[in-house]
Structure formats: structure tokens, C-alpha cells
Amino acid sequence: KSSAEYPDSAKKGCNDTCGGVTIPYPFGIGANCSLNKWYIVDCNSSTPYLSAFNNMEVVKVSLEEQTVHVNVSVTSRCGNSVGNSDHIPSIDLTESPFLFSGSRNRFTVKGCGYAALLTDGEVITGCSTTCTNDTALNDRDGCFGLGCCQTTLRYNLKSYTMDLTGLRRLGEDGACRSAFVGDELWYENTSFLPVLTLIWVLTDHDISEIPNCWQKQSLGSTFLPIRDGYIPQRKCSCGAGRVGNPYLHYQCEEPGYCRDCRESGATCQSEPKYPDEYDGTWTFNCKSTVDYTYGSSKSPLGIILGVSICMGLLFLAKFIYELHKLIKKTIAKRQKQKFFKRNGGLLLKQQQATKED
């Protein structure tokens, strides 16, 4: 059973929800509740926004994945654009601790007869669309080039630009077209605005401001690919068998599920949720001490077996010791008789008997 129990997610005295969205520290509703200006969330009309990025709407914040999901607008153009290119810049994250996730986001283009490129100083990826008269084919085949194309990103980005060009030979018909970068899973499961996944990265200054993160056992690190190499993604963790918000001081504790398990006389065991790629999350299982196969408890059986083995070893040692003494005594007696005969003992015994007579 996986435990999702957490103590208070926000700093003391701060709200941790806005419009049903949990806002855990280092994010916070208001400047006094967040780690710094980049993590400030404004709660307007029960809707959370990242104030540092022109009020992008926050959909979800994940401490485990170290991501924040935000709603993004779709850039649409209508009218004939053959030979002309729409140059669409993105939000610039250069000065911030955020990155556009390369593993989660996809570049998507919709419309008939368009070639699109995604660049950040060099070409990152691209795709093109075409159309046929069989509109049903378009719906059935999904986003694989017929009126819609989608492609992956090679690495994590700080900014990007989209170039969208209409091509008559691919069936450009002057209808509306759009291009956007968004999370693949959200795109497949919602009909609303696409959701963009941002990764947040702790700076050295951030770590010094978070009490728990100076401890080596609670600070993990992976490396994120970017265009010029890699950058470390450091992450705070509560450690083995504990849950809570590791970015808040003294907020990591034993999950209530484990407390209930121990009070019932069972054992709460913890193990990494993803052993092959440990990310700081744990799975907890309540293991009963009763062995239903044999109808008895494991602990008393182990004690009985242990005591029996120890007693048996003691008796064996005692037996060997007594046997050794008996053998030694027998050998000494035989040697005494042998020496008695060799040294004239029998003659002396006869003389003593004669003298007494």
C-alpha cells in the first residue's frame, strides 16, 4: 500500500491550497510563503498563477517528480500563408530555475499542409502535416501527420521559437493552424488547453535556504540534459521509511499507515517505489508476523528452534567432555597397571604377604 499521507505542505501560517490545487513549499501563496520570487503563486478567484511568468495558471505541483504543470495558450493563425512563416516565440525561462521538460513535453502542430520547426538557436525538432479528403482517416489515425503532427524534444529547454510555414504541395488550404509545446499525457487525456510541464531546479542559494537540504542523506541529485551538456537536478528527500514535505524543517515523519501497522502487532516494511531509478519516494507494506502456512507465529517458532538447538549443543558438549574424562581415566589406569608389573610390583606384593604371615 502506497502512503500519500503528508503533514502540512505549506509553511506555517500559509494556505496550502488554491482552487483545489495543492501548493507545497518551496512554492507558496504570496511572497512570505514561498522560497523566492520564482516560486510565488497568486491565488486569484480560486485559480493559482505563477506571478513570475505573466500569470501562467498552475494545474499541479509535484514534489516527487520536481515538476509544475501550467496551462498554456495555443498560438493560432488563420488565412493563406503559403511561402510565409509565422515566427512564434515562447516564454523565456533563462533567468529562472525552471526548464521546459524534454522528456514530458511534445511539439504539436495542427492544420492542413504546414511545415514547422522548433528552435533555440539551433534546430531542435520539426514535423509537417498534410490533408486528404478522407476526414475520418484524420480522426482515426491520431497525430501522425494527417492534419496533425507531434514530435519529441531532444533535451530540456530554457526557451524556444516555433516557425510555422504553409506549403501548397502538402495541401495548405488557408484554414486555421496552430502550434504549441505541451505535455503528451495531458494532451491525450483532455480537450482543454494543453498543459506544459516545467522542471524546477534548486540553486546553491536555494539549498542554503532550505533547512533539511544540507544533510547529505536527504539530498539526491540527477543530471538533466540541455543543449550544451548537463545540469544537476538536486532534490530533497525525507529518506527511508518517512514521508512529508522534505523542504520544510521537521516535516518528515513516519506515515500513519505504518503507525497503525505497528500498533496491530505487525511490521511496516518500506522500499523504494522505483528501485531501478530511485526518486526519493517509498512504498509501505504491512507484514503480519503470523505464518498462515503452518498455523503458528513465526517469532515463537524461531525462539523454540533457537533454544532447542542451543540445548542440544550444550548436551553434546557435556557428553563429549564426560567421554573424554572416562577415556583419559581408563588410559591412566591401564598405564598404572603396566608400570606396576614392569617395576616388580607383583614380587613386592608377594614379599609383603609373606612378611605378614
Side-chain angles (χ1 to χ4, degrees):
K1 178 180 177 179
S2 297
S3 174
E5 299 175 28
Y6 288 88
D8 293 336
S9 297
K11 288 177 69 175
K12 188 175 181 180
C14 298
N15 292 329
D16 62 358
T17 58
C18 175
V21 179
T22 301
I23 309 296
Y25 189 81
F27 294 85
I29 301 173
N32 294 330
C33 296
S34 60
L35 178 61
N36 56 47
K37 67 177 183 178
W38 300 111
Y39 297 91
I40 296 175
V41 174
D42 291 333
C43 188
N44 298 328
S45 302
S46 297
T47 302
Y49 298 93
L50 279 177
S51 61
F53 302 104
N54 297 320
N55 290 324
M56 288 192 299
E57 181 183 349
V58 177
V59 177
K60 179 183 177 182
V61 177
S62 173
L63 295 182
E64 296 177 353
E65 297 180 354
Q66 212 158 339
T67 57
V68 54
H69 305 285
V70 295
N71 270 337
V72 292
S73 59
V74 176
T75 301
S76 297
R77 298 286 190 274
C78 297
N80 191 287
S81 62
V82 174
N84 297 322
S85 179
D86 291 326
H87 193 68
I88 309 167
S90 72
I91 299 166
D92 190 354
L93 304 178
T94 303
E95 300 299 323
S96 77
F98 294 91
L99 294 164
F100 298 104
S101 172
S103 61
R104 295 289 298 270
N105 295 312
R106 298 291 182 268
F107 178 39
T108 303
V109 177
K110 286 189 171 186
C112 289
Y114 293 96
L117 289 178
L118 193 72
T119 63
D120 67 342
E122 65 176 35
V123 175
I124 302 168
T125 189
C127 65
S128 60
T129 65
T130 188
C131 282
T132 68
N133 293 328
D134 186 359
T135 56
L137 180 67
N138 187 357
D139 296 334
R140 184 174 67 248
D141 280 10
C143 205
F144 296 103
L146 291 175
C148 176
C149 67
Q150 190 177 84
T151 184
T152 59
L153 309 183
R154 287 192 289 159
Y155 43 76
N156 302 288
L157 307 170
K158 277 291 187 179
S159 64
Y160 58 81
T161 297
M162 294 177 286
D163 290 298
L164 187 61
T165 304
L167 301 173
R168 180 68 68 189
R169 61 185 177 82
L170 293 179
E172 200 274 339
D173 57 3
C176 296
R177 68 272 186 194
S178 62
F180 58 90
V181 173
D183 188 285
E184 179 183 33
L185 297 179
W186 286 88
Y187 174 79
E188 292 176 351
N189 292 283
T190 182
S191 59
F192 300 104
L193 290 176
V195 171
L196 184 65
T197 299
L198 305 179
I199 302 171
W200 43 281
V201 179
L202 295 173
T203 65
D204 292 337
H205 182 265
D206 293 340
I207 293 173
S208 67
E209 293 294 316
I210 301 173
N212 286 11
C213 264
W214 66 270
Q215 302 176 42
K216 290 183 179 179
Q217 64 268 29
S218 69
L219 181 62
S221 181
T222 57
F223 289 90
L224 300 173
I226 57 175
R227 186 178 67 172
D228 300 326
Y230 294 87
I231 60 171
Q233 183 187 21
R234 290 168 289 195
K235 176 181 180 180
C236 292
S237 170
C238 283
R242 306 187 76 80
V243 296
N245 186 340
Y247 299 89
L248 290 172
H249 202 29
Y250 299 121
Q251 285 297 314
C252 293
E253 61 182 34
E254 182 185 34
Y257 173 75
C258 278
R259 286 196 299 270
D260 296 340
C261 177
R262 285 192 299 100
E263 291 173 1
S264 69
T267 302
C268 189
Q269 297 180 346
S270 61
E271 58 185 21
K273 190 173 182 180
Y274 306 104
D276 296 334
E277 190 175 345
Y278 175 59
D279 66 349
T281 59
W282 295 82
T283 295
F284 303 96
N285 295 289
C286 191
K287 297 290 187 180
S288 173
T289 56
V290 176
D291 186 351
Y292 294 100
T293 303
Y294 297 96
S296 61
S297 65
K298 294 181 179 179
S299 297
L301 178 61
I303 294 173
I304 292 171
L305 288 175
V307 171
S308 299
I309 292 172
C310 289
M311 293 297 292
L313 290 174
L314 287 174
F315 281 121
L316 180 61
K318 178 68 174 177
F319 174 76
I320 293 174
Y321 176 70
E322 293 296 335
L323 181 62
H324 173 72
K325 283 176 60 178
L326 179 61
I327 293 173
K328 188 175 180 181
K329 186 176 181 180
T330 301
I331 293 174
K333 185 177 180 179
R334 289 179 180 177
Q335 287 181 339
K336 184 177 179 181
Q337 291 175 349
K338 182 179 178 181
F339 292 148
F340 183 74
K341 292 178 181 180
R342 182 187 297 173
N343 296 327
L346 292 176
L347 180 61
L348 177 60
K349 201 170 184 180
Q350 291 174 357
Q351 289 177 351
Q352 288 177 340
T354 303
K355 191 173 181 179
E356 287 176 359
D357 292 343

